[in-house]
Amino acid sequence: MKAGGHVRLYVAFVAVLIMGATLLSGPYGLTTAILAAFDAAAALFLIGIAMIMRRGSAERLRQHAQRYDASRPILMLVAALTIAAVA
């Protein structure tokens, strides 16, 4: 994956989470909508990561891990906001 690929995955995660929660909140209520949207966004994210892992060697995966370790707080923030919204 090109540089910035992980950033695109995070942006896609947040976009699916927001759009899914918005679209599903009417028929299912906000709490259920956020949970369902989070599940869909997480599935998309995991598919993207699996594609990265499938194409890379162990050394390339180590390089990716070091390069994108700084983006961990973003993922933690998204998870915390989701938990706060549901709680």
Side-chain angles (χ1 to χ4, degrees):
M1 182 170 269
K2 298 177 194 173
H6 289 73
V7 173
R8 287 191 297 266
L9 285 174
Y10 289 126
V11 169
F13 177 89
V14 172
V16 169
L17 179 62
I18 291 170
M19 287 188 303
T22 302
L23 293 172
L24 296 173
S25 63
Y28 297 105
L30 185 59
T31 302
T32 302
I34 291 171
L35 290 171
F38 184 86
D39 288 347
L44 175 71
F45 186 82
L46 290 173
I47 289 169
I49 292 297
M51 291 172 59
I52 291 170
M53 292 178 69
R54 195 167 140 216
R55 294 183 183 149
S57 65
E59 184 57 35
R60 187 169 178 200
L61 292 175
R62 282 189 201 95
Q63 291 171 352
H64 278 289
Q66 288 175 347
R67 184 180 312 142
Y68 294 107
D69 191 43
S71 60
R72 186 182 324 167
I74 296 169
L75 185 58
M76 295 302 290
L77 176 64
V78 170
L81 290 173
T82 302
I83 291 168
V86 172

Coordinates of all heavy atoms in Angstrom, one line a residue:
M1 N 0.8 -1.2 0.0 CA 0.0 0.0 0.0 C 0.9 1.2 0.0 O 1.9 1.3 0.6 CB -0.9 0.0 1.2 CG -1.9 1.1 1.3 SD -3.1 1.0 2.6 CE -4.4 0.1 1.6
K2 N 0.5 2.3 -0.7 CA 1.2 3.5 -0.8 C 1.3 4.2 0.6 O 0.5 3.9 1.4 CB 0.6 4.4 -1.8 CG 0.5 3.9 -3.2 CD -0.2 4.9 -4.0 CE -0.6 4.3 -5.4 NZ -1.4 5.2 -6.2
A3 N 2.2 5.1 0.7 CA 2.3 5.9 1.9 C 1.0 6.7 2.0 O 0.4 7.1 1.1 CB 3.4 6.9 1.8
G4 N 0.5 6.7 3.2 CA -0.8 7.4 3.5 C -2.0 6.4 3.4 O -3.1 6.8 3.6
G5 N -1.7 5.1 3.1 CA -2.7 4.2 3.0 C -3.5 3.9 4.3 O -4.7 3.8 4.3
H6 N -2.7 4.0 5.4 CA -3.3 3.8 6.7 C -4.2 5.0 7.0 O -5.3 4.8 7.6 CB -2.3 3.6 7.8 CG -1.6 2.3 7.7 ND1 -0.7 2.0 6.7 CD2 -1.7 1.2 8.5 CE1 -0.3 0.8 6.9 NE2 -0.9 0.2 7.9
V7 N -3.8 6.2 6.6 CA -4.6 7.4 6.9 C -5.9 7.2 6.1 O -7.0 7.5 6.7 CB -3.8 8.6 6.4 CG1 -4.7 9.9 6.5 CG2 -2.6 8.8 7.3
R8 N -5.9 6.7 4.9 CA -7.1 6.5 4.2 C -8.0 5.5 4.9 O -9.2 5.6 4.9 CB -6.8 6.1 2.7 CG -6.2 7.2 1.9 CD -6.2 6.8 0.4 NE -5.3 5.7 0.2 CZ -4.0 5.8 -0.2 NH1 -3.5 7.0 -0.4 NH2 -3.3 4.8 -0.5
L9 N -7.4 4.5 5.5 CA -8.2 3.5 6.2 C -8.9 4.2 7.4 O -10.0 3.9 7.7 CB -7.3 2.3 6.7 CG -6.9 1.3 5.6 CD1 -6.0 0.3 6.2 CD2 -8.2 0.6 5.1
Y10 N -8.2 5.0 8.1 CA -8.8 5.7 9.3 C -9.9 6.6 8.8 O -10.9 6.7 9.5 CB -7.7 6.5 10.1 CG -6.7 5.6 10.8 CD1 -5.4 5.7 10.7 CD2 -7.2 4.7 11.7 CE1 -4.5 5.0 11.4 CE2 -6.3 3.9 12.4 CZ -5.0 4.0 12.3 OH -4.1 3.2 13.0
V11 N -9.6 7.4 7.7 CA -10.7 8.3 7.2 C -11.9 7.5 6.8 O -13.0 7.9 7.1 CB -10.1 9.1 6.1 CG1 -11.2 9.9 5.4 CG2 -9.0 10.1 6.6
A12 N -11.7 6.3 6.1 CA -12.8 5.5 5.7 C -13.5 5.0 6.9 O -14.8 4.9 7.0 CB -12.3 4.3 4.9
F13 N -12.8 4.6 8.0 CA -13.4 4.1 9.2 C -14.3 5.2 9.8 O -15.5 4.9 10.1 CB -12.3 3.7 10.2 CG -12.8 3.3 11.6 CD1 -13.1 1.9 11.8 CD2 -13.1 4.2 12.6 CE1 -13.6 1.5 13.0 CE2 -13.6 3.8 13.8 CZ -13.9 2.4 14.0
V14 N -13.8 6.4 10.0 CA -14.6 7.5 10.5 C -15.8 7.8 9.7 O -16.9 8.0 10.1 CB -13.7 8.7 10.8 CG1 -14.5 9.9 11.2 CG2 -12.7 8.4 11.9
A15 N -15.6 7.8 8.3 CA -16.7 8.1 7.4 C -17.8 7.1 7.5 O -19.0 7.5 7.6 CB -16.2 8.2 6.0
V16 N -17.4 5.8 7.5 CA -18.5 4.8 7.6 C -19.2 4.8 9.0 O -20.4 4.7 9.1 CB -17.8 3.4 7.4 CG1 -18.8 2.3 7.8 CG2 -17.4 3.2 5.9
L17 N -18.4 5.1 10.0 CA -19.0 5.2 11.3 C -20.0 6.4 11.4 O -21.1 6.2 11.9 CB -17.9 5.5 12.4 CG -18.3 5.6 13.8 CD1 -19.0 4.4 14.3 CD2 -17.1 5.9 14.7
I18 N -19.6 7.5 10.9 CA -20.5 8.7 10.9 C -21.7 8.5 10.0 O -22.9 8.7 10.4 CB -19.8 10.0 10.6 CG1 -18.8 10.3 11.7 CG2 -20.8 11.1 10.4 CD1 -17.8 11.4 11.4
M19 N -21.5 8.1 8.8 CA -22.6 7.9 7.8 C -23.5 6.8 8.3 O -24.8 6.9 8.2 CB -22.1 7.6 6.4 CG -21.5 8.8 5.8 SD -21.0 8.6 4.0 CE -19.9 7.2 4.1
G20 N -23.0 5.7 8.8 CA -23.8 4.6 9.2 C -24.6 4.9 10.4 O -25.8 4.6 10.5
A21 N -24.0 5.6 11.4 CA -24.8 6.0 12.6 C -25.9 7.0 12.2 O -27.0 6.9 12.7 CB -23.9 6.7 13.6
T22 N -25.6 7.9 11.2 CA -26.6 8.9 10.8 C -27.8 8.2 10.1 O -28.9 8.4 10.4 CB -26.0 9.9 9.9 OG1 -24.9 10.6 10.6 CG2 -27.0 10.9 9.4
L23 N -27.4 7.3 9.2 CA -28.5 6.6 8.4 C -29.3 5.6 9.2 O -30.5 5.5 9.0 CB -27.9 5.9 7.2 CG -27.2 6.7 6.1 CD1 -26.5 5.9 5.1 CD2 -28.3 7.6 5.5
L24 N -28.7 5.0 10.2 CA -29.4 4.0 11.0 C -30.1 4.5 12.2 O -30.9 3.8 12.9 CB -28.4 2.9 11.4 CG -27.8 2.0 10.2 CD1 -26.8 1.1 10.7 CD2 -28.9 1.3 9.5
S25 N -29.8 5.7 12.6 CA -30.3 6.3 13.9 C -31.8 6.4 13.9 O -32.5 6.3 14.9 CB -29.6 7.6 14.3 OG -29.9 8.6 13.3
G26 N -32.4 6.7 12.7 CA -33.8 6.9 12.6 C -34.6 5.6 12.9 O -35.4 5.5 13.9
P27 N -34.3 4.6 12.2 CA -35.1 3.3 12.4 C -34.7 2.5 13.6 O -35.5 1.8 14.2 CB -34.9 2.5 11.1 CG -33.7 3.1 10.4 CD -33.5 4.5 10.9
Y28 N -33.4 2.6 14.0 CA -33.0 1.8 15.1 C -32.6 2.5 16.4 O -32.2 1.8 17.4 CB -31.7 0.9 14.6 CG -32.1 0.0 13.5 CD1 -31.6 0.4 12.2 CD2 -32.8 -1.1 13.7 CE1 -32.0 -0.5 11.1 CE2 -33.1 -1.9 12.6 CZ -32.7 -1.6 11.3 OH -33.0 -2.4 10.3
G29 N -32.6 3.8 16.5 CA -32.2 4.5 17.6 C -30.7 4.7 17.6 O -29.9 4.0 16.9
L30 N -30.2 5.8 18.3 CA -28.9 6.2 18.2 C -27.9 5.1 18.7 O -26.9 4.9 18.1 CB -28.7 7.5 19.0 CG -27.3 8.1 18.9 CD1 -26.9 8.4 17.4 CD2 -27.2 9.4 19.7
T31 N -28.2 4.5 19.9 CA -27.2 3.6 20.4 C -27.0 2.4 19.5 O -25.8 2.0 19.2 CB -27.7 3.1 21.8 OG1 -27.9 4.2 22.7 CG2 -26.7 2.1 22.4
T32 N -28.0 1.8 19.0 CA -27.9 0.6 18.1 C -27.3 1.0 16.8 O -26.4 0.3 16.3 CB -29.3 0.0 17.9 OG1 -29.9 -0.4 19.1 CG2 -29.2 -1.2 17.0
A33 N -27.6 2.2 16.3 CA -27.0 2.7 15.1 C -25.5 2.9 15.2 O -24.7 2.5 14.3 CB -27.7 4.0 14.7
I34 N -25.0 3.5 16.3 CA -23.6 3.6 16.5 C -22.9 2.3 16.6 O -21.8 2.1 16.0 CB -23.3 4.5 17.8 CG1 -23.8 5.9 17.6 CG2 -21.9 4.5 18.2 CD1 -23.8 6.8 18.8
L35 N -23.5 1.3 17.4 CA -22.9 0.0 17.5 C -22.8 -0.7 16.1 O -21.8 -1.3 15.8 CB -23.7 -0.8 18.5 CG -23.6 -0.4 19.9 CD1 -24.5 -1.2 20.8 CD2 -22.1 -0.6 20.4
A36 N -23.9 -0.6 15.3 CA -23.9 -1.3 14.0 C -22.9 -0.6 13.1 O -22.1 -1.3 12.3 CB -25.3 -1.3 13.4
A37 N -22.8 0.7 13.1 CA -21.9 1.5 12.3 C -20.5 1.2 12.6 O -19.6 1.1 11.8 CB -22.2 3.0 12.3
F38 N -20.2 1.1 14.0 CA -18.9 0.8 14.4 C -18.4 -0.6 13.9 O -17.3 -0.8 13.5 CB -18.8 0.8 15.9 CG -17.4 0.6 16.5 CD1 -16.5 1.7 16.5 CD2 -17.0 -0.7 16.8 CE1 -15.2 1.5 17.0 CE2 -15.7 -0.9 17.3 CZ -14.8 0.2 17.4
D39 N -19.3 -1.6 14.0 CA -19.0 -2.9 13.5 C -18.7 -2.9 12.0 O -17.8 -3.6 11.6 CB -20.2 -3.9 13.8 CG -20.3 -4.2 15.3 OD1 -19.4 -3.9 16.0 OD2 -21.4 -4.7 15.6
A40 N -19.5 -2.2 11.2 CA -19.3 -2.1 9.8 C -18.0 -1.4 9.5 O -17.2 -1.9 8.6 CB -20.4 -1.4 9.1
A41 N -17.7 -0.3 10.2 CA -16.4 0.4 10.0 C -15.2 -0.5 10.4 O -14.2 -0.5 9.7 CB -16.4 1.7 10.8
A42 N -15.3 -1.2 11.5 CA -14.3 -2.1 12.0 C -14.0 -3.2 11.0 O -12.9 -3.5 10.7 CB -14.6 -2.7 13.3
A43 N -15.1 -3.7 10.4 CA -14.9 -4.8 9.4 C -14.2 -4.3 8.2 O -13.3 -4.9 7.6 CB -16.3 -5.4 9.0
L44 N -14.6 -3.1 7.7 CA -13.9 -2.4 6.6 C -12.4 -2.2 6.9 O -11.5 -2.5 6.1 CB -14.5 -1.1 6.2 CG -13.9 -0.3 5.2 CD1 -14.1 -0.9 3.8 CD2 -14.4 1.2 5.2
F45 N -12.1 -1.7 8.1 CA -10.8 -1.5 8.5 C -9.9 -2.8 8.5 O -8.8 -2.8 8.0 CB -10.7 -0.8 9.9 CG -9.4 -0.4 10.3 CD1 -8.8 0.8 9.9 CD2 -8.7 -1.2 11.2 CE1 -7.6 1.2 10.3 CE2 -7.4 -0.8 11.6 CZ -6.9 0.4 11.2
L46 N -10.5 -3.8 9.1 CA -9.8 -5.1 9.2 C -9.6 -5.7 7.8 O -8.5 -6.3 7.6 CB -10.6 -6.1 10.1 CG -10.6 -5.7 11.6 CD1 -11.5 -6.7 12.3 CD2 -9.2 -5.8 12.1
I47 N -10.5 -5.5 6.9 CA -10.3 -6.0 5.5 C -9.1 -5.3 4.9 O -8.3 -5.9 4.2 CB -11.6 -5.9 4.7 CG1 -12.6 -6.9 5.2 CG2 -11.3 -6.0 3.2 CD1 -14.0 -6.7 4.6
G48 N -9.1 -4.0 5.1 CA -8.0 -3.2 4.6 C -6.6 -3.6 5.1 O -5.6 -3.7 4.4
I49 N -6.6 -3.8 6.4 CA -5.3 -4.2 7.1 C -4.9 -5.6 6.6 O -3.8 -5.9 6.3 CB -5.5 -4.2 8.6 CG1 -5.6 -2.8 9.1 CG2 -4.3 -4.9 9.3 CD1 -4.4 -1.9 8.9
A50 N -5.9 -6.5 6.4 CA -5.6 -7.8 5.9 C -5.0 -7.8 4.5 O -4.1 -8.5 4.2 CB -6.9 -8.7 5.9
M51 N -5.5 -6.9 3.7 CA -4.9 -6.7 2.4 C -3.5 -6.2 2.4 O -2.6 -6.7 1.7 CB -5.8 -5.8 1.5 CG -7.1 -6.3 1.2 SD -8.3 -5.1 0.4 CE -7.4 -4.7 -1.0
I52 N -3.2 -5.3 3.4 CA -1.8 -4.9 3.5 C -0.9 -6.0 4.0 O 0.2 -6.2 3.4 CB -1.8 -3.7 4.5 CG1 -2.5 -2.5 4.0 CG2 -0.3 -3.4 4.9 CD1 -2.7 -1.4 5.0
M53 N -1.4 -6.8 5.0 CA -0.6 -7.8 5.5 C -0.3 -8.9 4.5 O 0.7 -9.6 4.4 CB -1.2 -8.4 6.7 CG -1.2 -7.4 7.9 SD -2.1 -8.1 9.3 CE -0.9 -9.4 9.8
R54 N -1.3 -9.2 3.6 CA -1.2 -10.2 2.6 C -0.2 -9.9 1.6 O 0.5 -10.8 1.1 CB -2.6 -10.4 2.0 CG -2.7 -11.7 1.2 CD -4.2 -11.9 0.9 NE -4.3 -12.4 -0.4 CZ -5.2 -12.2 -1.3 NH1 -6.2 -11.4 -0.9 NH2 -5.2 -12.7 -2.5
R55 N 0.0 -8.7 1.3 CA 0.9 -8.3 0.2 C 2.3 -8.0 0.6 O 3.2 -7.9 -0.2 CB 0.3 -7.0 -0.5 CG -0.9 -7.2 -1.2 CD -1.4 -6.0 -1.9 NE -2.6 -6.2 -2.5 CZ -3.5 -5.2 -2.7 NH1 -3.3 -4.0 -2.3 NH2 -4.7 -5.5 -3.3
G56 N 2.5 -7.9 1.9 CA 3.8 -7.5 2.4 C 4.6 -8.6 3.0 O 4.1 -9.6 3.5
S57 N 5.9 -8.4 3.0 CA 6.9 -9.3 3.7 C 6.9 -8.9 5.1 O 6.5 -7.9 5.5 CB 8.2 -9.2 3.0 OG 8.8 -7.9 3.2
A58 N 7.6 -9.8 5.9 CA 7.7 -9.5 7.3 C 8.5 -8.2 7.6 O 8.1 -7.4 8.4 CB 8.4 -10.6 8.1
E59 N 9.5 -8.0 6.8 CA 10.3 -6.7 6.9 C 9.5 -5.5 6.6 O 9.5 -4.5 7.2 CB 11.6 -6.8 6.1 CG 12.5 -5.6 6.3 CD 12.9 -5.3 7.7 OE1 13.1 -6.3 8.5 OE2 13.0 -4.2 8.1
R60 N 8.7 -5.6 5.5 CA 7.9 -4.5 5.1 C 6.8 -4.2 6.1 O 6.5 -3.0 6.4 CB 7.2 -4.8 3.7 CG 6.5 -3.6 3.2 CD 6.1 -3.9 1.7 NE 5.3 -2.8 1.2 CZ 4.6 -2.8 0.2 NH1 4.4 -3.9 -0.5 NH2 3.9 -1.8 -0.2
L61 N 6.2 -5.2 6.7 CA 5.2 -5.0 7.8 C 5.8 -4.4 9.0 O 5.2 -3.5 9.6 CB 4.6 -6.4 8.2 CG 3.7 -7.0 7.1 CD1 3.2 -8.4 7.6 CD2 2.5 -6.1 6.8
R62 N 7.1 -4.7 9.3 CA 7.8 -4.0 10.4 C 7.9 -2.5 10.1 O 7.8 -1.7 11.0 CB 9.1 -4.7 10.7 CG 9.0 -6.0 11.5 CD 10.4 -6.5 11.9 NE 10.3 -7.9 12.2 CZ 10.6 -8.8 11.3 NH1 11.0 -8.6 10.1 NH2 10.5 -10.1 11.7
Q63 N 8.3 -2.2 8.9 CA 8.5 -0.8 8.5 C 7.2 -0.1 8.6 O 7.1 1.1 9.1 CB 9.1 -0.8 7.1 CG 10.5 -1.2 7.0 CD 10.9 -1.3 5.5 OE1 10.2 -1.2 4.6 NE2 12.2 -1.6 5.3
H64 N 6.1 -0.7 8.1 CA 4.8 -0.1 8.2 C 4.4 0.2 9.7 O 3.9 1.2 10.0 CB 3.7 -0.9 7.6 CG 3.6 -0.8 6.1 ND1 3.1 0.3 5.5 CD2 4.0 -1.6 5.1 CE1 3.2 0.2 4.2 NE2 3.7 -1.0 3.9
A65 N 4.7 -0.8 10.5 CA 4.3 -0.7 11.9 C 5.1 0.5 12.6 O 4.5 1.2 13.4 CB 4.6 -2.0 12.7
Q66 N 6.3 0.6 12.3 CA 7.1 1.7 12.8 C 6.6 3.0 12.3 O 6.5 4.0 13.0 CB 8.6 1.5 12.5 CG 9.2 0.4 13.3 CD 10.7 0.2 12.9 OE1 11.1 0.7 11.9 NE2 11.4 -0.6 13.7
R67 N 6.3 3.1 11.0 CA 5.9 4.3 10.4 C 4.6 4.8 10.9 O 4.4 6.0 11.1 CB 5.9 4.2 8.9 CG 5.5 5.5 8.1 CD 5.5 5.3 6.6 NE 6.6 4.5 6.1 CZ 6.5 3.6 5.1 NH1 5.3 3.4 4.6 NH2 7.6 3.0 4.7
Y68 N 3.7 3.9 11.1 CA 2.3 4.3 11.5 C 2.0 4.1 12.9 O 0.8 4.2 13.3 CB 1.3 3.6 10.6 CG 1.4 4.0 9.2 CD1 2.0 3.1 8.2 CD2 1.0 5.2 8.7 CE1 2.1 3.5 6.9 CE2 1.1 5.6 7.4 CZ 1.7 4.7 6.5 OH 1.8 5.1 5.2
D69 N 3.0 3.9 13.8 CA 2.7 3.8 15.2 C 2.2 5.1 15.8 O 1.4 5.0 16.7 CB 4.0 3.4 15.9 CG 3.8 3.0 17.3 OD1 2.8 2.2 17.6 OD2 4.6 3.4 18.2
A70 N 2.5 6.2 15.2 CA 2.0 7.5 15.7 C 0.5 7.6 15.5 O -0.1 8.5 16.2 CB 2.8 8.6 15.0
S71 N -0.1 6.9 14.6 CA -1.5 7.0 14.4 C -2.4 6.2 15.4 O -3.6 6.3 15.3 CB -1.9 6.6 12.9 OG -1.5 5.3 12.7
R72 N -1.7 5.5 16.3 CA -2.5 4.8 17.3 C -3.4 5.6 18.1 O -4.5 5.3 18.4 CB -1.5 4.0 18.2 CG -2.2 3.1 19.1 CD -1.3 2.3 20.1 NE -0.1 1.9 19.4 CZ 1.0 1.5 20.1 NH1 0.9 1.4 21.4 NH2 2.1 1.2 19.5
P73 N -2.9 6.8 18.5 CA -3.9 7.7 19.3 C -5.1 8.0 18.6 O -6.2 8.2 19.2 CB -3.0 8.9 19.6 CG -1.6 8.5 19.5 CD -1.6 7.4 18.5
I74 N -5.1 8.2 17.3 CA -6.3 8.5 16.5 C -7.3 7.3 16.6 O -8.5 7.6 16.9 CB -5.9 8.7 15.0 CG1 -5.0 9.9 14.9 CG2 -7.2 8.8 14.2 CD1 -4.5 10.1 13.5
L75 N -6.8 6.1 16.5 CA -7.7 5.0 16.7 C -8.3 4.9 18.1 O -9.4 4.6 18.3 CB -7.0 3.7 16.3 CG -7.8 2.4 16.3 CD1 -9.0 2.5 15.3 CD2 -6.9 1.2 15.9
M76 N -7.4 5.2 19.1 CA -7.9 5.2 20.4 C -9.0 6.2 20.7 O -9.9 6.0 21.4 CB -6.7 5.3 21.4 CG -5.7 4.2 21.4 SD -6.5 2.6 21.7 CE -6.8 2.8 23.4
L77 N -8.8 7.4 20.0 CA -9.7 8.5 20.2 C -11.1 8.1 19.6 O -12.1 8.3 20.2 CB -9.2 9.8 19.5 CG -10.2 10.9 19.5 CD1 -10.5 11.4 20.9 CD2 -9.6 12.1 18.6
V78 N -11.1 7.5 18.4 CA -12.3 7.0 17.8 C -13.0 6.0 18.6 O -14.2 6.1 18.8 CB -12.0 6.5 16.3 CG1 -13.2 5.8 15.8 CG2 -11.5 7.6 15.4
A79 N -12.3 5.1 19.2 CA -12.9 4.1 20.0 C -13.4 4.7 21.3 O -14.6 4.4 21.7 CB -11.8 3.0 20.4
A80 N -12.7 5.6 21.9 CA -13.2 6.3 23.1 C -14.5 7.1 22.8 O -15.4 7.1 23.6 CB -12.1 7.2 23.7
L81 N -14.5 7.8 21.7 CA -15.7 8.6 21.4 C -16.9 7.7 21.1 O -18.0 8.0 21.5 CB -15.4 9.4 20.1 CG -14.5 10.6 20.3 CD1 -14.2 11.3 19.0 CD2 -15.0 11.6 21.3
T82 N -16.7 6.5 20.5 CA -17.7 5.6 20.3 C -18.3 5.0 21.6 O -19.5 5.0 21.8 CB -17.3 4.4 19.4 OG1 -16.8 4.9 18.2 CG2 -18.4 3.4 19.1
I83 N -17.4 4.7 22.5 CA -17.8 4.2 23.8 C -18.5 5.3 24.6 O -19.6 5.0 25.2 CB -16.6 3.7 24.6 CG1 -16.0 2.4 24.0 CG2 -16.9 3.5 26.1 CD1 -14.7 2.0 24.5
A84 N -18.1 6.5 24.5 CA -18.7 7.6 25.2 C -20.1 7.8 24.7 O -21.1 8.1 25.4 CB -17.9 8.9 25.1
A85 N -20.3 7.7 23.4 CA -21.6 7.9 22.7 C -22.6 6.8 23.1 O -23.8 7.1 23.3 CB -21.4 8.0 21.2
V86 N -22.1 5.6 23.3 CA -23.0 4.5 23.6 C -23.3 4.5 25.1 O -24.4 4.1 25.5 CB -22.3 3.2 23.1 CG1 -23.1 2.0 23.6 CG2 -22.2 3.1 21.6
A87 N -22.3 4.8 25.9 CA -22.5 4.8 27.4 C -23.5 5.8 27.9 O -24.2 6.4 27.7 CB -21.2 4.9 28.1

